Amino acid sequence: MIAKLKGLLDETGTDWAVIDVQGVGYLVHCSAKTLTALGEQGEACTVYTDLQVSENDMRLLGFAEAGERDWFRLLTQVQGVGSKVALAILSALSTGELRDACAGGDAAMVARAQGVGPKLAGRIVNELKDKAGALPGSGSGGGVAGFVVPANSASADAVSALENLGFKPAIAAQAVARAQGELGEDASESELIRVALKRAAG
């Protein structure tokens, strides 16, 4: 089984990426969160993987963090949750938000994911609430992977601008965090939005 790939980001699509590992291209299906985290085409990247084999299909799922992969495996154990639905949930919610939703019985938060109705969201929360605390989460609210958005700041305004353009809160915050890291603490709102849009759009 393939557990991890380390190579160059060769190509990306709406829910997939091709990772070039010493001349071999691996097609991996990813959440929007992972696609954003992989970086630019041609850059070095690492993805944690899960290989799913069915009667007529074999696919490799890729994740930017091992914790996201752990959540994917847990989600797909729930009846009615296949790889596509699990990736949709991980695109809509950060691992921290997902952990908090399951631990707190907040089915409405899980139902925000595309293709997840109230009934399925309730089942996910009920089945995973006792396991949620044992799994990693990057925290909820404005922090993504250790990045905290200060209120009334250029970065907060940039995150809000990306959300208004239709990006999920987790994606917007992560993209602005990466832009902030590249441009520095004194970057203006317009500079952050310009760079963050490139990162969020992949």
Side-chain angles (χ1 to χ4, degrees), residues 92-102 109 112 138-141 169-170:
L93 303 173
S94 70
T95 51
E97 289 171 328
L98 184 53
R99 180 195 58 198
D100 294 345
C102 291
M109 181 176 279
R112 282 164 40 188
S138 58
S140 55

Side-chain angles (χ1 to χ4, degrees), residues 88-179:
I89 293 170
L90 290 167
S91 294
L93 303 173
S94 70
T95 51
E97 289 171 328
L98 184 53
R99 180 195 58 198
D100 294 345
C102 291
D106 189 353
M109 181 176 279
V110 179
R112 282 164 40 188
Q114 189 174 358
V116 180
K119 189 176 179 181
L120 181 56
R123 186 187 305 146
I124 291 168
V125 167
N126 288 333
E127 290 192 25
L128 302 185
K129 63 183 176 183
D130 294 331
K131 302 175 184 177
L135 282 178
S138 58
S140 55
V144 175
F147 177 69
V148 178
V149 182
N152 302 317
S153 65
S155 55
D157 291 339
V159 170
S160 178
L162 261 67
E163 289 181 21
N164 289 337
L165 289 171
F167 291 100
K168 299 286 186 184
I171 301 297
Q174 190 171 32
V176 171
R178 293 184 63 202

